[in-house]
Amino acid sequence: MKIALIIPPLENIVRYLKQWHLEPADYGAFPPLGVLYIATFLKMKMPGLEVKVIDCPSQKIGYKKLERFLKEFKPDIIGISVFTECLVDALKVARLAKSLDKVPHVCAGGAHLFIYPRQTMEFKDIDSIVIGEGENTFVELVRQVRENRAIGGVSGLYTKADIGMKEFVKSDEPDINTLPFFDTDLIDRRSYYSTVGRQNNMITLLSSRGC
């Protein structure tokens, strides 16, 4: 079974903070730790899966290159990291996924889902969403898809059948002391840099969860 976790290209950013006048080069490029933790946890819990992390902005992957990769890789599940300012690009990735000959299950997660879960689920190319920490929830989603079971019944996981819910509850938080250190082989560290660093080949760390 093949899983692709994607950080979308940044080609249609909603620039609502114009007063900042910041471009990515102004603050650096940092590894997508949330996605890396999910990918590493997935590999630990379900050995034998083929898991790819596609960080489009840092790897300079546009839509044509992403489409070529997806056609070749043929993922069974695509997870998309969604921030509000990148929503348009996240939806373009979902639409691209649904245009493939082998149509994958498309799951959206990330900070945007805390605020707009119902609205995100209403987009036709999104099959499911994860609200909150994704490690345990995404593993259960992958198991349900692999075993061809109905999707749902998992903390923080929702599908279109749940659109009418009055309240969307986030997933149960994992014990971070039990999580494996993220697998740096899933990314090219040379793609990341900080404006205060001397060279590329950088890694960052999380010492806790939350903002």
Side-chain angles (χ1 to χ4, degrees):
M1 190 175 192
K2 297 180 178 181
I3 314 295
L5 301 177
I6 300 174
I7 293 85
L10 300 180
E11 298 184 9
N12 300 277
I13 298 178
V14 180
R15 298 189 180 277
Y16 58 89
L17 296 176
K18 291 184 178 179
Q19 68 271 23
W20 283 20
H21 297 293
L22 285 179
E23 297 296 331
D26 294 326
Y27 49 82
F30 303 98
L33 296 187
V35 170
L36 287 173
Y37 272 108
I38 291 172
T40 305
F41 191 72
L42 190 58
K43 290 173 63 179
M44 181 185 78
K45 288 291 188 179
M46 302 180 69
L49 294 181
E50 189 172 354
V51 182
K52 299 284 188 182
V53 172
I54 319 301
D55 186 353
C56 293
S58 296
Q59 295 174 268
K60 296 180 172 55
I61 295 175
Y63 286 101
K64 289 185 178 179
K65 188 174 181 180
L66 179 60
E67 182 178 11
R68 289 196 298 270
F69 166 79
L70 294 175
K71 285 182 176 179
E72 181 178 340
F73 185 55
K74 297 181 174 62
D76 299 285
I77 299 175
I78 289 179
I80 305 175
S81 178
V82 187
F83 287 88
T84 303
E85 64 268 27
C86 311
L87 176 62
V88 174
D89 285 302
L91 294 176
K92 287 190 68 173
V93 172
R95 183 183 303 168
L96 171 60
K98 290 302 184 182
S99 72
L100 300 173
D101 292 335
K102 180 181 179 180
V103 181
H105 180 97
V106 175
C107 177
H112 181 76
L113 281 304
F114 276 103
I115 309 171
Y116 300 112
R118 180 177 293 100
Q119 293 87 339
T120 305
M121 271 306 322
E122 289 174 345
F123 291 107
K124 66 182 181 66
D125 297 316
I126 302 294
D127 296 309
S128 65
I129 62 172
V130 172
I131 304 175
E133 309 293 344
E135 285 88 356
N136 290 316
T137 304
F138 196 74
V139 165
E140 291 305 315
L141 168 65
V142 173
R143 284 180 176 148
Q144 290 177 350
V145 173
R146 185 175 67 175
E147 297 168 8
N148 198 28
R149 291 188 281 136
I151 307 299
V154 179
S155 170
L157 176 63
Y158 300 95
T159 67
K160 285 185 165 45
D162 303 310
I163 286 178
M165 292 183 63
K166 292 183 178 180
E167 182 180 8
F168 290 80
V169 180
K170 69 178 184 177
S171 62
D172 296 330
E173 295 185 4
D175 179 357
I176 61 173
N177 295 312
T178 66
L179 298 179
F181 191 79
F182 57 83
D183 184 358
T184 57
D185 290 336
L186 288 165
I187 55 172
D188 181 358
R189 294 193 300 270
R190 295 169 297 179
S191 299
Y192 303 99
Y193 66 94
S194 169
T195 54
V196 298
R198 289 186 170 183
Q199 60 184 10
N200 291 25
N201 192 9
M202 181 190 74
I203 235 18
T204 52
L205 299 172
L206 282 176
S207 60
S208 63
R209 292 288 175 102
C211 292

